[in-house]
Amino acid sequence: MSPTPPARRRRLGLPRRVFSQVLLMQVAIAAGVAVLATGLFLAPLGDQLDDQAMRRALAIAQTTAQQPQIARDLRTTPATAHGPVQREAERVRKATGAEYVVVLDRRGVRWSHTDPRRIGEPVSTDPGEALAGHEVMEIDDGTLGRSARGKVPLRDADGEVVGAVSVGIAYDSVRARLIHAIPGLFAYAGGALAVGALAAWLISRRVQRQTRDLAFSDIAALLAEREAMLHGIREGVVALDRSGRIRLLNDEAQRLLGIGGEAVGRSPAEALGAGRTADVLAGRVTGTDLLTVCGQRVLIANRMPTDDGGAVATLRDRTELEQLGRELDSTRGLIDALRAQDHEHANRMHTLLGLLELEMYDDAVEYVGEVVGDHRATAEQITERIPDPLLAALLVGKTTVAAERGVALWVSDRTRLPDRLVDPQGLVTIVGNLVDNALDAAAGTTHARVEVELRAEGRTATLKVRDTGPGVPPEHREAVFTEGWSTKEAPAHRRRGIGLSLVRRLAERQGGSATVGAAYGGGAEFTVVLPEALAPADLEPALTAPVDPAVEKEAR
């Protein structure tokens, strides 16, 4: 049996919880301030009481010396215990509460004293300064002990100094006042300390609620984990404060949005410019898994409000998934076209086989010629009007797919597009998206038809795609170009609402526009104007600017 591990001894020191540490520190600060304030108050209090006692003694001496009768009696009567000077001095002493009132002549001999036996004796302290006509305040020891003294000269009617008056205040009374003030001062200090402790407790409780009663080490660990998580995850995280300004961006968010740390403290519109992405981050567009396009990236955004009035938005990059989805759609379209051609080819082969078995050789030859002629005529009609091989091949393939879906795809007789395209792949993307949308809208309608018109005027190319579908209501004609907006159910592998948004983005990138209106006879008519789609007539097609593969791959 293993021995029982020894109990861990708790080490003395600060408590672990933030609440306890803040409370302890604030109480210590309040106590320190109370002690310091009390000391600072007590330090000058003794000097203030001494000064008050000396000034009181001086005031009594001045009042006594102002009586002219004392100066006359000092000249005309002897210094006796029952003389007029002694009687007046005792009267003043009793009236003012002074410890003594001593009147002395110019020789320093007392004419009054609280002890009548000392009358006629010289004073115990030097009266020279007072006899010289100066007033004196001091704390000194005399025959009656330590006292606060005030000495003033005694003058006759002519102003001549004939003696001096010395008044003393018992120093024990000054000390008693000081000691008497200390309990009250401590009471005030204790009250202030109690108020400070209560305030510290209230503040600490608020800190406890805000920190969820965590220890400082726990908070430090959480911050470290947060930094590692934010900068390690492959999702963009954008935190906004209650004013709607960005207060945090992790590395992935900076990469996806194409902004840096300088965006912190700015609103999404200031950092990204006006657009759907800024509206999603600011909360002006609500919902879950919101689709938005930022630069060359397709993003999925979710926004969650926080308790402090701010919000946290997460961003996921779906660019590659959208690219794969579009490539899958292209592959499916090609498969559908091949399936349609295979089906049509099988029917024609069966027809041809039947003609041969019936030995109708002339009819078989005529039938083969008609089939080959129809395909050749369709391809030749498109390539005569659109010499660019990429665009012509796209429309030939879309014609086969349209026929399989029961939709007639026509290239308008007004179509004329010279072989001077600056960005043929970009135009292929625009035409492909618009034709696919038109086929989806027209499929299943009576006399389903899609018409494509491409014209050139100078260097400007104008594309129009009309369909016989239900059309786009006027109130939705701007919304259809918004990222994520679609009336069709999204397939499992990707989201809808990207194609028309990319069409407008590609058009605007070339300085053009993309709009939608009503087609003649019903349906929708999409119009894309590209002002710089064609190179100048004096340049060879080989010198035209190549398209950015990344942009084209993203768009598809």
Side-chain angles (χ1 to χ4, degrees), residues 359-393:
E359 297 182 357
M360 300 173 65
Y361 303 114
D362 293 337
D363 293 335
V365 172
E366 183 180 357
Y367 177 73
V368 171
E370 289 178 357
V371 170
V372 173
D374 289 342
H375 281 281
R376 183 178 301 167
T378 300
E380 288 179 353
Q381 178 189 23
I382 293 176
T383 54
E384 284 178 0
R385 297 169 182 171
I386 304 174
D388 181 81
L390 289 177
L391 193 55

Side-chain angles (χ1 to χ4, degrees), residues 217-249:
S217 58
D218 297 333
I219 294 176
L222 286 175
L223 288 175
E225 292 168 1
R226 189 200 73 160
E227 289 298 313
M229 178 182 66
L230 286 178
H231 298 290
I233 61 175
R234 300 307 298 168
E235 284 192 359
V237 178
V238 182
L240 299 100
D241 59 20
R242 66 178 61 190
S243 300
R245 298 189 176 276
I246 298 173
R247 63 182 174 187
L248 183 142
L249 281 168

Side-chain angles (χ1 to χ4, degrees), residues 50-59 62 129 134-140 147-152 167:
D50 288 347
D51 184 70
Q52 290 176 4
M54 290 187 294
R55 291 186 180 278
R56 181 185 169 203
L58 182 64
Q62 290 172 339
E129 193 170 353
H134 302 293
E135 295 180 347
V136 179
M137 290 190 310
E138 61 185 0
I139 302 292
D140 203 355
S147 61
R149 301 179 178 182
K151 300 178 181 180
V152 298
V167 177

Side-chain angles (χ1 to χ4, degrees), residues 237-267:
V237 178
V238 182
L240 299 100
D241 59 20
R242 66 178 61 190
S243 300
R245 298 189 176 276
I246 298 173
R247 63 182 174 187
L248 183 142
L249 281 168
N250 71 342
D251 298 339
E252 185 67 6
Q254 296 182 27
R255 184 182 73 85
L256 295 178
L257 299 176
I259 56 179
E262 71 279 356
V264 175
R266 302 163 64 187
S267 66

Side-chain angles (χ1 to χ4, degrees), residues 79-81 86 109-113 115-121:
T80 63
Q86 169 68 2
V109 177
R110 299 186 183 97
W111 284 63
S112 67
H113 198 275
D115 184 1
R117 294 174 298 178
R118 294 186 181 275
I119 295 175
E121 296 179 359

